[in-house]
Amino acid sequence: MSRLPGAKGEWIRGVLAEHEAALLRYALRLTGDPQKTQDVVQETFLRLCQADRSEVDGHVGPWLFRVCRQRVLDLHRKEQRMPIAESGAVNGCPSPTVAPDQQCQANEEARAVLAALAALSADQQEVVRLKFGQGMSYRDIGAVTGHTVSNVGVLLHTAIKKIRESFDAKETEGAAARHDT
């Protein structure tokens, strides 16, 4: 991309710096394969280079996620299968300033959240990740996924309700176990 001239090249480099890491995480969750992820994100940015800036400026983030998602769907259709990312495919690094017992508890909570998220439908997982992982608005999520804004709201509401119910059930089990001892 360093060959792009002038203002468009600077704009592309800025968009790349701002969105590349988030797109890589998003695509990895969809593909489950780091090599395919790199290819999909590279193709997404190539599409951005070919796009008319005036058509994407002001909503470049949702545009990138929509193109990335479409590339992944095209890849899945081509391969005639839908691989699922392993739960350990994307791991955060623990902070060295956190006490080991706090890190252990945070890891347990993260595993519980990932397990609750994995129990949701694919559509619910995707809107939760776009909302809470990427900070997108309902309108932007709808633009990425093709769902209406109201459908995005329903998917999020249902997903959050299921996650809350999952945690309530675990809390009830934990209280019962503590009572028995």
Side-chain angles (χ1 to χ4, degrees):
M1 282 197 228
S2 61
R3 294 185 189 152
L4 288 172
K8 184 164 184 176
E10 289 178 32
W11 177 71
I12 295 287
R13 284 187 287 280
V15 170
L16 180 66
E18 183 178 350
H19 295 284
E20 181 181 32
L23 275 175
L24 285 167
R25 286 189 302 271
Y26 178 67
L28 182 59
R29 288 305 237 165
L30 295 175
T31 66
D33 181 310
Q35 182 62 45
K36 290 176 186 170
T37 295
Q38 288 286 336
D39 293 343
V40 164
V41 172
Q42 182 178 11
E43 188 175 334
T44 299
F45 279 103
L46 285 174
R47 298 266 172 125
L48 180 65
C49 292
Q50 297 165 349
D52 183 358
R53 180 177 176 176
S54 65
E55 291 180 17
V56 298
D57 217 4
H59 63 277
V60 70
W63 185 90
L64 286 168
F65 279 88
R66 183 175 56 249
V67 171
C68 182
R69 180 179 190 268
Q70 192 57 50
R71 297 299 69 157
V72 171
L73 292 174
D74 289 347
L75 181 66
H76 288 325
R77 278 193 286 272
K78 181 178 176 184
E79 294 177 348
Q80 294 296 315
R81 61 184 174 90
M82 182 82 93
I84 298 172
E86 294 181 22
S87 63
V90 181
N91 288 327
C93 295
S95 170
T97 60
V98 177
D101 62 328
Q102 291 173 331
Q103 186 61 50
C104 183
Q105 182 174 350
N107 288 345
E108 287 176 19
E109 290 170 357
R111 278 191 289 278
V113 169
L114 289 174
L117 191 60
L120 300 175
S121 72
D123 283 345
Q124 290 169 337
Q125 288 182 36
E126 184 173 23
V127 297
V128 166
R129 287 190 180 105
L130 290 172
K131 177 64 179 166
F132 299 107
Q134 303 305 321
M136 289 188 176
S137 69
Y138 286 24
R139 183 173 46 99
D140 290 345
I141 294 169
V144 170
T145 62
H147 295 299
T148 64
V149 171
S150 59
N151 195 9
V152 168
V154 169
L155 287 167
L156 279 169
H157 173 78
T158 305
I160 292 168
K161 183 178 176 185
K162 286 180 180 180
I163 291 171
R164 187 175 292 129
E165 289 170 353
S166 170
F167 278 94
D168 288 346
K170 287 182 184 187
E171 188 175 297
T172 303
E173 289 172 9
R178 285 189 300 274
H179 180 68
D180 290 342
T181 57

